[in-house]
Amino acid sequence: MATLILQYVDEGLLDLDATVPELLPPDVLNTSQAYGDVTLSQLLSMTSGVPDFFNDPNGILSDVFSDPELEFTTQDIVDAAVATAPVQPPGTGGYSSTNYILLQEIAESVGGKPANELYKERIYGPLGMSLTNTVLPPRNSNAIVPEPRSEATLTNPCNGEFAAFGYNTVEEGYSIGAPITEIASASIDVAGAAGSMWATLNDMLIWTKSGTGNVLLSEETAAKRLEWTDIGGTIRHYGMGTHAIWMVPSAGADPNNIWSDYWGHSGEAFGYESMSGHDAESGGSFFVATTSCGMEGGVMVPLFSYYLNALSKAEEAVANSTLASSEAPTPAAPGSEPPVDGGGGNGQDTTSM
């Protein structure tokens, strides 16, 4: 959703300094209680100060689990967020999915179409992604992930998450590690642009390689997108709809200096989690998805750290090999072309080929 919004900024249709009431007037959405002075930039960068409606175990998500066909509006979600915790002053960092519910409203207001149709025209199509397999379902559609699909797996962290919403999954007959088709077949369109999309692995890798959409933006906007704010929590270094990907700190490392050069985003729903990252300088990209819970820090970050360490060692080996060959060059065979300089011997080009 951030890429779509920033495309409109590039085109002069939206202003990052515009406030939410200016973008969504009261006859569209009554946001004055929470969003009176919040700007578009603050919604994008998770610095609105408005609570996350997902954080109330007795709130709207509990209602949706109790009645999957329950219909709700963006106003319902905003009201639920405000009831969850005190609203903080604009500029206060904190991850809140509520921000992206409002960004979807803003994008659809500007584009005049449902978000998925805008995605098809402005993101899926230009990037070469599937126009049918990657979908952001409409609100209140009760849409479910079509088959064939990966099934969620119930693990101990999942039990903890479900317990927070009043479900004792073991007593209800679900065994640890067993496939839970009820999760895969449940609609999560309550999350809207904050997390209701489903996609194929191939499409997600295309998306990741695009720098999470940065290739669709002007250079100035793409660079501004990476100006991060420390929003606290696990993610911390958050830009506009993207964040620096963290690594497992090595022994003795500064725990405040574990951020890589990769930018992307993590995501989760009950029984599913994912993480993506792209390094614009090296061209490296990764996308990891799991059918479980609590994997973001438990598996994905170690996997990513292993990937970076392996890449670093490969680059170092190439660099050392280039250095050795420059110190003791092999004579060219008679009539052959001389060795071509590989660009300073840093190994980047060679590794990425």
Side-chain angles (χ1 to χ4, degrees):
M1 183 52 62
T3 299
L4 183 60
I5 292 289
L6 291 172
Q7 285 180 322
Y8 289 140
V9 171
D10 272 342
E11 295 164 17
L13 299 175
L14 286 174
D15 185 342
L16 288 174
D17 294 325
T19 63
V20 172
E22 292 172 338
L23 299 168
L24 294 174
D27 60 328
V28 176
L29 188 70
N30 180 13
T31 59
S32 58
Q33 178 183 4
Y35 287 95
D37 297 320
V38 173
T39 66
L40 182 64
S41 175
Q42 289 168 336
L43 290 180
L44 288 163
S45 61
M46 298 293 182
T47 56
S48 71
V50 175
D52 192 339
F53 75 96
F54 271 123
N55 289 343
D56 183 2
N58 299 311
I60 195 168
L61 283 186
S62 177
D63 294 338
V64 170
F65 271 110
S66 299
D67 182 4
E69 296 185 0
L70 177 70
E71 294 193 359
F72 47 87
T73 65
T74 297
Q75 187 69 61
D76 294 333
I77 291 175
V78 171
D79 292 344
V82 173
T84 298
V87 177
Q88 301 300 314
T92 303
Y95 196 95
S96 176
S97 298
T98 315
N99 294 326
Y100 277 69
I101 297 294
L102 285 193
L103 287 170
Q104 180 176 352
E105 285 283 348
I106 293 169
E108 292 178 341
S109 176
V110 173
K113 298 178 181 179
N116 195 60
E117 295 304 309
L118 297 173
Y119 282 165
K120 286 182 180 180
E121 295 175 5
R122 303 176 69 96
I123 295 178
Y124 304 161
L127 291 180
M129 297 167 63
S130 167
L131 299 181
T132 57
N133 292 332
T134 294
V135 177
L136 176 64
R139 182 76 49 75
N140 297 321
S141 62
N142 291 315
I144 61 174
V145 183
E147 295 182 335
R149 63 187 176 220
S150 57
E151 300 291 359
T153 303
L154 191 61
T155 59
N156 280 317
C158 290
N159 279 333
E161 291 185 12
F162 274 91
F165 287 88
Y167 292 89
N168 187 325
T169 51
V170 175
E171 287 186 4
E172 291 178 5
Y174 302 141
S175 60
I176 305 299
I180 304 301
T181 56
E182 288 81 1
I183 300 175
S185 60
S187 175
I188 57 169
D189 62 30
V190 62
S196 290
M197 177 179 284
W198 64 72
T200 63
L201 291 175
N202 184 60
D203 275 357
M204 287 311 302
L205 189 55
I206 292 173
W207 168 249
T208 302
K209 287 180 176 179
S210 77
T212 56
N214 274 2
V215 298
L216 301 175
L217 305 175
S218 68
E219 289 185 11
E220 179 183 0
T221 299
K224 187 175 183 62
R225 187 181 191 182
L226 302 185
E227 295 176 2
W228 58 267
T229 301
D230 189 340
I231 64 170
T234 305
I235 292 176
R236 293 183 57 184
H237 290 196
Y238 203 89
M240 294 186 185
T242 186
H243 60 80
I245 305 300
W246 59 100
M247 299 174 59
V248 174
S250 56
D254 179 358
N256 294 312
N257 188 28
I258 59 173
W259 312 103
S260 71
D261 293 326
Y262 281 68
W263 284 74
H265 215 290
S266 54
E268 68 173 316
F270 285 127
Y272 297 92
E273 292 193 0
S274 64
M275 181 179 286
S276 64
H278 175 76
D279 179 5
E281 183 176 347
S282 70
S285 300
F286 76 93
F287 178 75
V288 183
T290 70
T291 53
S292 190
C293 304
M295 306 297 280
E296 188 176 283
V299 170
M300 293 186 189
V301 173
L303 275 176
F304 172 61
S305 297
Y306 177 82
Y307 161 76
L308 280 191
N309 289 334
L311 181 62
S312 176
K313 289 179 180 178
E315 292 173 351
E316 183 180 355
V318 172
N320 289 339
S321 174
T322 305
L323 178 61
S325 64
S326 66
E327 292 173 345
T330 302
S336 67
E337 294 293 325
V340 177
D341 189 318
N346 60 18
Q348 294 283 9
D349 295 334
T350 306
T351 304
S352 62
M353 258 200 287

